[in-house]
Amino acid sequence: MKALIRLLAIIRKELRQLRRDRLTFGMIVGIPIIQILLFGYAINTDVRNLVAAVADQSDTHLSRQFIAELGQTQVLDLGRAAAGPEELERWLRDGSISVGVLIPPDFDRRVLDPGRPAAHLLVDGADPTILGVANQLAFMPLAFDTGKASRPARTLEVRPYYNPERRTAINIVPGLIGIILTLTMSLFTAVAIVRERERGNLELLINTPVSTLELMLGKIAPYVVIGLIQLALILIVGRLLFDVPTRGSIVELYMAAAVFIIANLALGLLLSTVARTQFQAMQMTIFFLLPSILLSGFMFPFAGMPPFAQWLGELLPNTHFIRLTRGIMLREARLAELLPEVYALLAFTLVAMAGAVRRFSRRLD
Amino acid sequence: MTAADDRAISARGLTKSFGELVAVSHLDLDVPRSRIYGFLGPNGSGKSTTIRMLCGLLTPSSGRARVLGLDVPVDAAALKPRIGYMTQRFSLYEDLTSEENLEFIADIYAFDRQRRKRRIAEVLERYDLTDQRRQFAGTLSGGQKQRLALACAVLHRPELLLLDEPTSAVDPKTRRDFWGKLFELAEAGTTILVSTHYMDEAERCHRLAILDRGVKVADGAPSELKASTGMTVVEVSGDDPYAAQRALSGHAEVVSVTQLGVRLRILIPDSVPRALELVRAALSGAGVRAEAEIVPASLEDVFVAVTQNGRRREARA
Ligand SMILES: Nc1ncnc2c1ncn2[C@@H]1O[C@H](COP(=O)(O)OP(=O)(O)O)[C@@H](O)[C@H]1O
Ligand SMILES: [Mg+2]
């Protein structure tokens, strides 16, 4: 009973302070919206209208037909014509084009020879996305009549499930929920505790009958609600701007998110016992955020990572949460089918919380 | 320790080192109940460190302390509900109002609704904060902050109050009023341990320990301390205090020369016979015209005497 009064007192105090802290309040709303706009609009892997130039050294009926077809794909914006390969190379180097199309003088003959490429794509290989697009273009079937059906037909046809239009936002947004919550949740709690230590509040608090566990639970409880509000914000913006669906159960999505939020809050508590200043707390959350972006399967396919990176990735809450959100939001999976991910999050929470309670010192030395 | 023990705090050989630095060294302490006990010492003399050890915030490097019959830091958890602690730095929430801070503290001590309401109204009244109840603690004046901190520290009626330099940031009038409150509390049975670097405050304590660089150099009632400095105090007043100072400060028997306005206070060990004649001879020898007379020791003289003693012992060793 007394423990409950104390717990509620800490929660009430935390909420009062939050309401008055404009900056944090702004971050609660601002971070999710800014992040989703940034990621939603900037990360766009369906490439269109790459600036390109053509050097047509053959200048035949066939070559002109080929150029017209390339233009119709809308992948390349073939606005410029170059005199020869040297000019293409110069433009590539100075960055004025990303792709150069070189059609050799003997193009008509090459088209008939399956052993030799008909034309060359000169590509800025420093950009992996452009290189990927070029590789796809290389296999573009030539629809025009060459008189001989010698081009290799495609043996496999790709059928993208769950995202037939191949829209990037659909892949990005479910993963982004995890990134945003990892950042805000661990940052807010870590800073909240370190701030009390910096301002001397903690020296007073640890001299009262309040227990470590009460203090920690009271600190994180308000943020669980805040995390869920952030989730709602992301889902609404994702739906309105990027048409990202939530195909599975919204209730189950919220349940999964609650578990994930608590895991990150526990992490924030643990970081707060290590950090001496608010700035250090911030650095540590960023340090943790980077692998959560890179190794969680958000940026790169998890299966393609080397074993060590996969092993590290499995330790991160975000890896499991991304599987949960993609499963529930896109594949309409049930939470019951994804239980191992939930267990992993719970295990993480337990370990982090135990570490935080253990490390949190009720003394100053 | 029995219930009949009339000491609120007893410590033996209490020591705290931070790496190389010995912040508190072999401190013996006996603080009687229902009294105001002072820690007098300059900055860095180990006052805060001692108070923190006594409430269980710091683990002593060696030595033992019993506070209200409990061993610290082992029994610190049982001790916490019975003590009130006012930190040197203002440690309440600046973004909460006075009343909200008090409510928070009341809840932390798990008051029931009735008691919470009654007690908060009571301390707001007593510490003259009723008009500031809805003001953010961060915007209070120095004196108001200090009264709020005291109100929070005594809210749960602790048996022992530890106050770490409570008056370092307030004006003399506020300090006087504050000490009035402390006497009320002691009257009502609260034991108060208060650290300070003001002589006039130290003078008001029932008992006093003087700390110098982590070592207790003297303790006792202020009157006892003044009676037993082991020094003769000679006060010199004249037109040219600087010349008088030059004449005396090099003298082998003079422990210290302190200037107070146009007057000088000269400390000479009791072991030196005829201190007054010695001073007069030194003055006339240097051609300085000044009056000299023996005066009773003040607490400041005590402080200078005991800290000088320590330094001289060190110099000889
Ligand atoms: N946590 C700490 N780590 C290292 N040194 C400390 C620490 N706390 C205090 N000290 C040192 O111990 C000495 C005594 O400090 P303190 O007890 O704060 O003195 P006072 O309160 O009398 O001003 C000082 O030299 C101070 O620098
Ligand atoms: Mg101090």
Side-chain angles (χ1 to χ4, degrees):
Chain A
M1 187 57 207
K2 287 190 172 185
L4 191 64
I5 295 178
R6 286 195 289 264
L7 186 62
L8 289 177
I10 294 170
I11 293 176
R12 188 168 332 119
K13 183 217 79 179
E14 206 65 28
L15 286 175
R16 272 181 173 154
Q17 288 185 301
L18 259 174
R19 220 173 43 220
R20 288 165 192 170
D21 180 358
R22 294 254 168 117
L23 186 66
T24 305
F25 207 77
M27 287 206 295
I28 290 171
V29 180
I31 290 182
I33 292 183
I34 290 172
Q35 296 283 324
I36 194 172
L37 291 181
L38 280 180
F39 277 87
Y41 282 118
I43 300 193
N44 200 354
T45 49
D46 25 301
V47 182
R48 300 214 173 274
N49 296 328
L50 292 176
V51 182
V54 192
D56 187 357
Q57 296 178 310
S58 145
D59 198 23
T60 60
H61 170 71
L62 204 55
S63 74
R64 282 190 297 274
Q65 196 182 341
F66 173 69
I67 293 167
E69 262 200 48
L70 265 184
Q72 273 162 19
T73 62
Q74 292 185 9
V75 174
L76 301 182
D77 173 10
L78 296 166
R80 298 163 75 171
E86 295 81 13
E87 192 161 31
L88 282 181
E89 278 170 11
R90 201 173 62 242
W91 286 349
L92 267 179
R93 214 169 26 246
D94 68 22
S96 53
I97 60 171
S98 324
V99 178
V101 183
L102 176 62
I103 299 177
D106 53 350
F107 178 73
D108 287 22
R109 255 189 304 126
R110 282 167 171 255
V111 167
L112 297 176
D113 182 353
R116 287 201 302 168
H120 304 279
L121 278 181
L122 313 183
V123 179
D124 175 5
D127 187 327
T129 316
I130 298 178
L131 195 58
V133 171
N135 281 331
Q136 282 175 16
L137 276 181
F139 283 98
M140 191 181 81
L142 294 178
F144 51 81
D145 184 13
T146 57
K148 261 173 118 182
S150 56
R151 289 275 133 193
R154 276 187 301 172
T155 48
L156 286 177
E157 186 200 18
V158 179
R159 288 168 57 192
Y161 271 54
Y162 314 118
N163 185 10
E165 316 95 284
R166 298 180 202 236
R167 279 186 300 119
T168 316
I170 291 206
N171 291 322
I172 294 280
V173 171
L176 197 57
I177 298 174
I179 304 286
I180 292 171
L181 289 177
T182 301
L183 174 65
T184 55
M185 293 294 102
S186 55
L187 183 67
F188 289 162
T189 33
V191 166
I193 292 220
V194 173
R195 186 170 49 207
E196 292 219 357
R197 193 179 301 131
E198 275 189 334
R199 291 186 184 166
N201 309 133
L202 220 49
E203 182 169 355
L204 180 121
L205 262 190
I206 57 181
N207 248 311
T208 67
V210 75
S211 79
T212 305
L213 196 63
E214 287 157 12
L215 190 61
M216 301 221 146
L217 291 181
K219 273 275 175 196
I220 65 173
Y223 293 103
V224 178
V225 180
I226 288 169
L228 293 176
I229 292 173
Q230 289 189 320
L231 171 61
L233 267 177
I234 302 167
L235 290 180
I236 290 170
V237 176
R239 168 48 75 67
L240 292 182
L241 293 186
F242 305 110
D243 211 11
V244 177
T246 306
R247 300 197 178 110
S249 154
I250 190 101
V251 175
E252 292 190 349
L253 180 62
Y254 265 85
M255 280 162 48
V259 177
F260 175 68
I261 287 168
I262 293 170
N264 279 295
L265 293 173
L267 171 71
L269 287 178
L270 184 62
L271 295 183
S272 77
T273 63
V274 184
R276 297 249 144 249
T277 61
Q278 293 186 54
F279 183 67
Q280 280 183 3
M282 240 173 266
Q283 283 179 313
M284 285 182 199
T285 46
I286 300 292
F287 183 78
F288 196 84
L289 182 68
L290 282 179
S292 296
I293 294 177
L294 298 176
L295 302 181
S296 61
F298 173 70
M299 275 293 211
F300 311 114
F302 198 79
M305 300 193 312
F308 176 66
Q310 287 195 359
W311 184 83
L312 268 182
E314 292 287 352
L315 294 178
L316 300 170
N318 201 25
T319 306
H320 302 282
F321 185 60
I322 283 187
R323 293 177 191 156
L324 285 168
T325 46
R326 286 190 177 152
I328 295 172
M329 289 177 69
L330 304 182
R331 301 199 304 270
E332 225 174 312
R334 307 297 314 214
L335 202 53
E337 299 171 88
L338 301 167
L339 278 182
E341 313 301 340
V342 177
Y343 293 148
L345 289 177
L346 290 175
F348 182 93
T349 308
L350 262 169
V351 172
M353 196 72 194
V357 172
R358 241 184 96 88
R359 278 197 51 94
F360 182 83
S361 175
R362 298 187 57 86
R363 304 206 182 128
L364 295 172
D365 53 358
Chain B
M1 207 164 284
T2 60
D5 194 332
D6 59 352
R7 286 174 303 178
I9 301 175
S10 67
R12 290 292 171 270
L14 206 56
T15 301
K16 179 71 188 179
S17 318
F18 298 107
E20 290 284 286
L21 179 92
V22 184
V24 176
S25 173
H26 299 94
L27 184 75
D28 293 345
L29 205 60
D30 290 288
V31 177
R33 284 185 189 264
S34 306
R35 289 285 182 275
I36 302 182
Y37 192 98
F39 270 174
L40 177 66
N43 287 332
S45 55
K47 304 182 296 291
S48 297
T49 305
T50 307
I51 290 178
R52 285 171 173 162
M53 280 194 281
L54 293 176
C55 58
L57 277 181
L58 286 176
T59 318
S61 308
S62 66
R64 322 182 291 109
R66 281 177 82 78
V67 180
L68 301 177
L70 297 166
D71 274 312
V72 285
V74 191
D75 293 329
L79 183 64
K80 296 205 162 157
R82 299 172 57 194
I83 61 173
Y85 174 41
M86 190 170 150
T87 53
Q88 182 168 354
R89 219 175 112 197
F90 184 70
S91 56
L92 290 166
Y93 295 95
E94 305 213 334
D95 46 359
L96 296 187
T97 65
S98 309
E99 196 169 31
E100 286 167 350
N101 269 299
L102 284 162
E103 283 170 3
F104 176 65
I105 300 291
D107 287 341
I108 288 297
Y109 286 97
F111 284 20
D112 61 45
R113 285 188 150 279
Q114 282 257 309
R115 177 160 173 237
R116 183 174 104 152
K117 203 171 157 216
R118 185 163 33 80
R119 187 72 182 128
I120 289 178
E122 209 171 286
V123 296
L124 280 175
E125 177 71 35
R126 166 157 309 164
Y127 295 104
D128 198 15
L129 288 165
T130 310
D131 291 342
Q132 282 77 36
R133 60 197 296 176
R134 302 206 197 293
Q135 192 174 335
F136 288 118
T139 67
L140 295 175
S141 73
Q144 291 165 343
K145 272 187 182 166
Q146 174 215 45
R147 293 203 300 277
L148 178 61
L150 182 64
C152 285
V154 300
L155 195 67
H156 63 292
R157 297 188 187 282
E159 296 162 57
L160 170 67
L161 204 49
L162 301 161
L163 310 175
D164 196 358
E165 292 193 24
T167 56
S168 51
V170 297
D171 60 81
K173 156 108 174 54
T174 309
R175 270 166 52 195
R176 248 194 333 275
D177 296 345
F178 185 78
W179 274 81
K181 307 288 182 211
L182 296 192
F183 281 114
E184 280 174 28
L185 284 163
E187 191 88 349
T190 312
T191 308
I192 300 175
L193 182 76
V194 54
S195 75
T196 181
H197 53 246
Y198 293 117
M199 297 297 162
D200 62 323
E201 288 191 350
E203 195 102 39
R204 295 159 177 261
C205 298
H206 296 112
R207 281 181 79 83
L208 189 63
I210 299 180
L211 297 185
D212 180 36
R213 291 173 297 167
V215 180
K216 185 179 78 177
V217 287
D219 69 350
S223 55
E224 281 167 33
L225 289 171
K226 287 187 281 189
S228 59
T229 51
M231 299 276 173
T232 306
V233 184
V234 179
E235 192 170 84
V236 174
S237 47
D239 302 334
D240 190 352
Y242 302 105
Q245 180 152 25
R246 270 195 303 278
L248 291 163
S249 54
H251 204 285
E253 307 291 0
V254 172
V255 172
S256 86
V257 179
T258 314
Q259 185 171 355
L260 294 171
V262 294
R263 283 167 301 151
L264 299 178
R265 287 178 89 89
I266 319 296
L267 296 188
I268 297 172
D270 284 343
S271 56
V272 178
R274 291 200 294 278
L276 188 57
E277 284 72 17
L278 187 145
V279 169
R280 286 183 176 149
L283 288 170
S284 59
V288 181
R289 284 229 316 244
E291 302 282 312
E293 59 174 333
I294 291 181
V295 294
S298 71
L299 207 48
E300 179 139 18
D301 298 323
V302 176
F303 184 79
V304 172
V306 291
T307 52
Q308 287 290 335
N309 275 342
R311 258 152 239 184
R312 287 204 307 179
R313 262 197 304 279
E314 251 167 49
R316 249 179 264 140

